[in-house]
Amino acid sequence: MTDHLSQAPHLAVIGAGPAGLAATVAAAARGVRVTLIDAAGQAGGQFYRQPAAGLRAGRPQALHHDWRTWERLRAALDTHVRAGDVRHLTGHHVWFAERRPDGRRSGRFTVHALRGSEGEDPATVDADAVLLATGGYEKVLPFPGWTLPGVVTAGGAQAMLKGALVVPGRTAVVAGTGPLLLPVAAGLAAAGVEVAALVESAAPRAFLRRTRTLAAQPGKITEGAGYAGRLIRHRVRTLARHTVVEAHGGDRLEAVTVAALDRDGRVRPGTGRRIPCDTLAVGHGMLPHTDLAETLGCRLDGLSVHVDDEQRTDVPGVWAAGEATGIGGSGLALAEGHIAGRSAAARLGGGVPDPREWAAAAKSRVRLREFAAALDSVYAPPAHWTEQVLDDTVVCRCEEITAGTIRVAVAELGAGDLRTVKLLTRAGMGWCQGRVCAPGVAGLTGCELAPSRRPFARPVPLGVLAREHIHPTDGGPS
């Protein structure tokens, strides 16, 4: 690294998906040293997930949408890495980020990560500023049989296909709600899986009420039509305004029962049909990853990180972009990452950014946020999905807490919020710390789904805590 670069301001970007890559390239192009930190072995995130080099995939682009954008991002990243102004840390699982106003280390912030598959090798990165591009994770609502082997998340099935070139089974049903279901079903069908049905709870007429907003993004409409065309070619049945009522099987999944929904989102009696399958890929949308933002003290708007027009959080020196600021897809993540990277570069250089530099990205951001809001209103889980969850259905898989136990906590013990339900039942106290079960618990109790304010973004060995001098009780340095 040249002397000039060693003296340049240092930005830590957490997450190497579309938002993180766009931010890294934009900041590095303007003279900022960037450390790009990511848990995966390759850049790209879930959207641009790549198969391992050893698999020698002949046409990885067949598994992706917007491949040319990925190629441009990857080429720009490689150029900056070779020049020495970007350091790309792969296999680094970030579990904590903190401000250091006392200046005891070389930057205002320290990012703590665990390296390797075992996650016991600590690493730290000191930086002048932090940009959070932590993405989102899937929301899955419980139903009878959802814990059977063979039931996977829609994104999990896609990750297996993109990253390992394997399929989860021979016959699949793709179900739930959300735009992710289309590429998952199309991808599985193209890979040779018999997709017995695509079960979508949204009603087609719901799209008609959002025609103007949706039509403002013709590229998205074309993309959706392309997936629909592939499903037709592979003779995949699409059951709109339907839902999975139950998954059946002994040692593993053997079939699912699906049923039609009425206008109010209730299952219509007598419409159930049993579909044999060995795989159910199910998802009900996405939720933002905000754990690191919360540990840094960033304000949240509901479940998303609050940002201004420059993608700055309310914590000085911290930017956020992509799904962490609100679920909106790769195009929105790219626009936000570009703006955040340019803003961070200007601010770290001691100047004031000129919004005209990202005018095009800002216009795209407005349109794509409107488009995402329209989709969010269309792709809502059935209003009465909890009526199908039996009392013996496991809701918290880590602690094996059933729906009946959760209902008792509310009806008989007086629990009125998720924290009290957690204390009374242990729902959400397991390995995932409520990331999987919280939406289900919230729906069953009628409580608002709120951030859980976990002290760390992922489990961390006590030995690492001791060596790093961080105490879980206060979430800060010793």
Side-chain angles (χ1 to χ4, degrees):
M1 182 177 295
T2 66
D3 291 340
H4 171 71
L5 288 174
S6 65
Q7 298 301 316
H10 185 196
L11 174 67
V13 176
I14 303 174
L21 288 172
T24 295
V25 170
R30 285 154 185 82
V32 173
R33 284 187 298 138
V34 180
T35 298
L36 177 61
I37 311 166
D38 194 61
Q42 301 182 70
Q46 169 70 355
F47 189 77
Y48 293 122
R49 184 184 291 271
Q50 305 295 306
L55 295 176
R56 299 179 181 178
R59 296 181 63 251
Q61 63 270 27
L63 302 173
H64 292 269
H65 171 71
D66 201 13
W67 182 257
R68 290 183 178 178
T69 298
W70 158 246
E71 289 183 315
R72 289 195 297 269
L73 285 170
R74 180 176 57 185
L77 176 66
D78 290 345
T79 298
H80 287 297
V81 169
R82 287 194 299 269
D85 46 357
V86 171
R87 182 171 55 140
H88 182 197
L89 302 181
T90 60
H92 281 61
H93 304 265
V94 176
W95 56 273
F96 191 61
E98 59 180 321
R99 289 181 289 171
R100 290 190 172 273
D102 54 8
R104 282 185 291 165
R105 299 178 77 148
S106 60
R108 288 193 295 159
F109 297 88
T110 298
V111 177
H112 299 264
L114 299 172
R115 291 180 291 198
S117 58
E118 299 298 324
E120 295 184 354
D121 185 13
T124 59
V125 174
D126 296 323
D128 299 305
V130 172
L131 197 155
L132 302 172
T134 47
Y137 61 100
E138 280 189 277
K139 177 170 68 175
V140 180
L141 301 174
F143 52 88
W146 77 302
T147 58
L148 279 171
V151 180
V152 299
T153 66
Q158 187 183 60
M160 292 173 64
L161 185 58
K162 286 183 175 181
L165 303 182
V166 298
V167 294
R170 295 181 178 179
T171 304
V173 169
V174 179
T177 189
L180 179 61
L181 301 187
L182 278 172
V184 170
L188 291 175
V193 176
E194 179 188 350
V195 180
L198 169 60
V199 183
E200 169 59 68
S201 64
R205 65 176 176 273
F207 291 91
L208 298 178
R209 295 193 293 268
R210 301 289 185 271
T211 301
R212 179 177 298 181
T213 302
L214 298 177
Q217 293 294 322
K220 293 289 186 181
I221 302 300
T222 301
E223 178 186 352
Y227 291 132
R230 294 182 209 174
L231 295 178
I232 292 173
R233 288 197 299 273
H234 289 283
R235 299 181 179 179
V236 176
R237 286 185 297 171
T238 298
L239 302 176
R241 204 56 176 159
H242 280 66
T243 190
V244 171
V245 175
E246 185 175 1
H248 310 279
D251 294 333
R252 64 167 292 111
L253 179 70
E254 297 172 2
V256 298
T257 294
V258 303
L261 296 166
D262 64 18
R263 287 173 176 255
D264 296 324
R266 286 190 168 92
V267 169
R268 291 168 53 192
T271 62
R273 67 177 79 177
R274 190 180 177 107
I275 302 177
C277 60
D278 59 19
T279 300
L280 171 62
V282 61
H284 299 92
M286 301 281 292
L287 294 170
H289 262 306
T290 61
D291 294 344
L292 292 175
E294 292 178 63
T295 64
L296 286 165
C298 300
R299 168 187 161 191
L300 301 185
D301 287 337
L303 299 175
S304 306
V305 181
H306 171 81
V307 293
D308 65 10
D309 289 344
E310 294 182 33
Q311 300 296 137
R312 294 180 298 174
T313 72
D314 61 336
V315 176
V318 180
W319 283 256
E323 310 286 46
T325 69
I327 304 302
S330 64
L332 179 57
L334 289 168
E336 291 186 352
H338 181 77
I339 293 169
R342 282 178 172 252
S343 170
R347 297 284 180 181
L348 286 171
V352 177
D354 182 354
R356 290 176 296 182
E357 293 184 359
W358 60 69
K363 290 181 180 179
S364 178
R365 179 177 60 183
V366 170
R367 292 193 298 268
L368 288 170
R369 282 179 176 173
E370 291 175 349
F371 183 81
L375 288 186
D376 194 49
S377 66
V378 169
Y379 288 119
H384 299 279
W385 65 266
T386 59
E387 296 176 2
Q388 304 304 313
V389 182
L390 306 179
D391 281 348
D392 62 355
T393 302
V394 171
V395 176
C396 174
R397 303 174 70 161
C398 298
E399 297 292 327
E400 299 183 347
I401 308 301
T402 64
T405 299
I406 293 169
R407 286 170 171 146
V408 166
V410 176
E412 299 183 16
L413 302 180
D417 57 78
L418 292 185
R419 182 176 183 275
T420 304
V421 173
K422 181 177 181 179
L423 292 173
L424 292 174
T425 68
R426 294 191 60 83
M429 286 191 179
W431 180 263
C432 83
Q433 287 292 288
R435 290 174 179 83
V436 174
C437 68
V441 174
L444 288 168
T445 60
C447 299
E448 182 181 359
L449 181 60
S452 62
R453 304 197 179 280
R454 308 174 186 95
F456 305 128
R458 57 159 289 151
V460 56
L462 290 176
V464 172
L465 288 178
R467 289 195 295 272
E468 295 293 305
H469 303 292
I470 292 176
H471 303 293
T473 55
D474 60 16
S478 61

